[in-house]
Amino acid sequence: MTFSSRVAWAGNPYFSDRLADRGWRITHIPLKKSFIDWPHIVEACGGEPSLFILGDRSSAPLLRGVERFPCPTVSIFVDTHIHSWHPLYAQAFDLATVAMRDHLESFRGRLLPDDRLLWLPLFARKDDAPQPDVKQVHDLLFVGKVDADLTPGRHRFLHELAEHAPLTMLRGPYRELFPTGKLILNESERGDLNFRVFEALGCGCCLLTPDVGHGLRDLFTDGEDLFLYPPGDVRAVAELTRRLLENDHTRHRVAASGLARVDTSHRDSHRAEQFENWLAGFDMTALATERLSRASRIKREFLNVIYLHLAESCAGTDAARLYLREAKSS
């Protein structure tokens, strides 16, 4: 199967632009607050697509009858550290990718065979690039949300660290802010291998990031491409910061190595190529036929569990009624 014909892509576009560079004809379909169904997708595409892709946008499931979509389907899961229902939802698709490698195990042993699951890490985007003319005015810089209510662990960690290290916390466009730091600090509120790792390295920065697993040590080498610290360890970060601020050569060397590793293996163009090559190894039409033959089971054993839970968790709302109606539908 080739994807020069229509491809429907709902939700977060991720590396879809790089697939378009490779000849894919993609129609992007936004996910709002109500279900979208197959007729909606056909209308948006101007005809039936040859492939449907769902890009995780960290929202509740909003696809009506996805288990019965007649074309091959693929889901791209990223926020598995937030949404425990993702492994169940994946069973309604022909193929699924998972960004957090340590969470792959929770997808296995269900209906979707292991070979139809792929670890597909996050990435730096095409526009993440060094800005060598920008002056580095911050010793240790964190860019992102720091909120006592929404990110309490991060808030506590960073404010404690600020008492022991020259930390600056900013919010704003990271591509403009990262180059202003001699050292870029990453923190992972929920233990995920987040985009900030790839973005900082893609911008040519020297990065300090928690050792969270999810294949991080297979993607990058500690002390060569970046620096790892035990999650939540204020003293370790403070000492590492002190040592690196005293050694310009080490900072520059590691920043250059991290950028080279990203340029070689971890940009959106690399993920697009991996994704395309993976799909090429399957008879996609046969996968869709197999899924359609067990659509009732998928709905009964996996999707209804999600819909009923969501209906209960937001009881009395329009969303609850929507999910309850979907669970009762045939």
Side-chain angles (χ1 to χ4, degrees), residues 84-326:
S84 60
W85 50 268
H86 279 179
L88 294 178
Y89 203 54
Q91 310 309 309
F93 293 81
D94 300 316
L95 298 169
T97 74
V98 180
M100 304 299 141
R101 192 178 73 175
D102 296 349
H103 294 165
L104 264 175
E105 194 60 34
S106 64
F107 286 74
R108 297 187 173 121
R110 303 178 189 268
L111 199 59
L112 199 63
D114 289 359
D115 68 329
R116 299 181 198 176
L117 297 166
L118 175 70
W119 175 40
L120 197 67
L122 299 180
F123 49 84
R125 295 172 178 85
K126 181 179 180 181
D127 294 333
D128 297 338
Q131 298 183 41
D133 296 331
V134 174
K135 186 175 181 181
Q136 294 179 330
V137 296
H138 304 295
D139 287 336
L140 179 64
L141 175 63
F142 176 85
V143 178
K145 182 184 295 184
V146 183
D147 185 287
D149 295 322
L150 298 178
T151 56
R154 174 179 297 165
H155 183 274
R156 182 172 54 253
F157 170 72
L158 293 181
H159 280 81
E160 183 179 349
L161 178 60
E163 299 177 4
H164 302 277
L167 174 65
T168 301
M169 293 173 273
L170 299 175
R171 290 193 68 176
Y174 69 86
R175 292 188 182 112
E176 297 177 14
L177 295 174
F178 278 165
T180 67
K182 296 177 184 177
L183 296 168
I184 299 301
L185 178 67
N186 182 35
E187 193 279 335
S188 180
E189 175 73 12
R190 293 177 179 266
D192 54 314
L193 176 51
N194 54 31
F195 265 115
R196 195 179 291 107
V197 169
F198 302 89
E199 292 165 347
L201 296 179
C203 288
C205 301
C206 186
L207 175 68
L208 280 61
T209 191
D211 191 1
V212 295
H214 294 302
L216 175 58
R217 286 180 176 268
D218 294 318
L219 301 175
F220 303 103
T221 301
D222 184 24
E224 293 184 15
D225 305 316
L226 44 63
F227 292 95
L228 300 179
Y229 66 86
D233 192 330
V234 169
R235 294 189 179 279
V237 176
E239 173 57 26
L240 185 58
T241 299
R242 182 197 63 75
R243 177 164 57 87
L244 292 174
L245 288 176
E246 295 174 353
N247 195 324
D248 293 350
H249 174 75
T250 297
R251 292 200 316 274
H252 296 156
R253 173 182 57 79
V254 171
S257 180
L259 174 61
R261 184 67 66 93
V262 164
D263 286 343
T264 299
S265 305
H266 304 306
R267 289 200 178 271
D268 48 6
S269 58
H270 300 112
R271 298 297 177 259
E273 182 178 7
Q274 288 175 267
F275 186 75
E276 183 180 65
N277 290 340
W278 185 54
L279 265 58
F282 294 95
D283 181 339
M284 299 294 286
T285 302
L287 295 187
T289 299
E290 181 182 347
R291 168 177 46 82
L292 290 169
S293 72
R294 56 191 184 188
S296 296
R297 178 185 173 190
I298 293 170
K299 176 75 161 41
R300 182 178 64 254
E301 295 184 11
F302 300 103
L303 297 183
N304 282 352
V305 174
I306 302 171
Y307 299 150
L308 290 171
H309 171 74
L310 291 172
E312 181 180 10
S313 65
C314 53
T317 67
D318 289 341
R321 287 185 284 273
L322 182 148
Y323 282 112
L324 187 59
R325 185 169 63 248
E326 188 64 16

